[in-house]
Amino acid sequence: MTHNGEDTAPLRRPEVTELRLASDGTGLEFSSAPEPAQLPHDRSQAILEAAKEIGSLLKRAGHPFALAGSVAVYAHGGSRYLQHDADFAILPDDAEAVAATLSEAGLPVRTPPEDWLLKTTCHGQNIDIIFALAHQPVTRDMLDRAHVLPVDSVLMPVLSPTDLIRSLISAFSEHYCDFGSVLPVARAVREKVDWDEVRTTCGGQPMPAAFLFLLERLNVIDAREGQP
């Protein structure tokens, strides 16, 4: 997910990648396999192909998850213009099991300095496996609220529009406040979002409140009753 600034270059077939998630402090080592030689010429299609591959792997293994980020926006009817990565939300306790599933499928897995996600690559595209959104752990309730939607013909759970918007604007702070990247997302899914719920859960913070005010002034959402 790009709002945390963790975009990295695609990984290239390391012989062994290391994952330090074991509860006893020991490292788990996973071997990686070659990436497919043929990649779609269209970057957005390459990201969709990667998302479909990862989603199918997680479904077959029975891991609870939900698609997040820009591909989730696309699944809810937003823009197909995808230029970064694909994101999947999983439960924190499932991180090791998911890492093992990806490794068994021949995908490299690594742990970045951020302690709230894993990273892999598929079809030459970066994939973030996230177990905390906007500094809050992914919960079973959040995954249960996900909508099962087709993602370029593959059905998979996708974060609900309300959870998706909430995760994006809750990440705003004095150090990161890119309203421009989230504004088109809000426009795309505005009719599907419970904005009262968004206001209640994150509208008390200065930056999310400022973004909600901007949406009101731009007539993307209605102002709260009793406000001008």
Side-chain angles (χ1 to χ4, degrees):
M1 188 173 289
T2 57
H3 67 262
N4 286 292
E6 74 278 359
D7 207 16
T8 58
L11 303 178
R12 301 294 185 192
R13 296 186 58 192
E15 291 299 322
V16 175
T17 53
E18 188 176 60
L19 171 69
R20 294 188 178 87
L21 286 175
S23 58
D24 61 0
T26 60
L28 298 180
E29 294 187 348
F30 299 112
S31 297
S32 61
E35 290 283 355
Q38 287 293 108
L39 299 177
H41 295 295
D42 178 77
R43 175 71 186 279
S44 293
Q45 188 60 42
I47 294 173
L48 287 175
E49 293 298 326
K52 291 191 294 182
E53 182 74 19
I54 298 298
S56 296
L57 285 172
L58 297 179
K59 281 172 60 178
R60 286 196 297 269
H63 299 301
F65 75 95
L67 183 65
S70 63
V71 187
V73 177
Y74 164 74
H76 281 296
S79 172
R80 188 185 175 279
Y81 185 70
L82 312 172
Q83 289 296 310
H84 295 290
D85 52 20
D87 305 295
F88 290 83
I90 66 167
L91 298 172
D93 290 344
D94 289 345
E96 284 192 21
V98 169
T101 293
L102 298 175
S103 177
E104 288 167 5
L107 299 175
V109 180
R110 72 181 183 88
T111 308
E114 300 87 354
D115 60 0
W116 44 269
L117 81 164
L118 307 174
K119 285 182 173 290
T120 187
T121 53
C122 181
H123 295 299
Q125 306 305 309
N126 291 326
I127 306 293
D128 289 349
I129 309 296
I130 300 166
F131 33 93
L133 290 168
H135 314 296
Q136 296 296 320
V138 174
T139 65
R140 175 73 66 170
D141 286 345
M142 182 184 295
L143 298 186
D144 287 344
R145 289 192 296 269
H147 300 183
V148 177
L149 298 172
V151 179
D152 201 29
S153 78
V154 175
L155 288 173
M156 68 180 74
V158 180
L159 278 184
S160 74
T162 300
D163 285 325
L164 184 58
I165 288 292
R166 181 164 42 201
S167 70
L168 292 173
I169 72 174
S170 292
F172 289 149
S173 69
E174 293 181 2
H175 303 288
Y176 169 81
C177 198
D178 185 2
F179 288 179
S181 66
V182 182
L183 179 58
V185 176
R187 288 185 186 277
V189 300
R190 60 184 173 180
E191 295 180 354
K192 303 176 181 179
V193 173
D194 184 340
W195 292 104
D196 288 337
E197 176 69 15
V198 172
R199 287 184 173 104
T200 298
T201 53
C202 57
Q205 298 299 315
M207 298 306 174
F211 183 71
L212 291 168
F213 177 70
L214 175 64
L215 294 183
E216 293 172 1
R217 292 298 302 269
L218 293 175
N219 294 318
V220 175
I221 62 175
D222 294 331
R224 252 184 173 171
E225 189 174 345
Q227 291 183 341

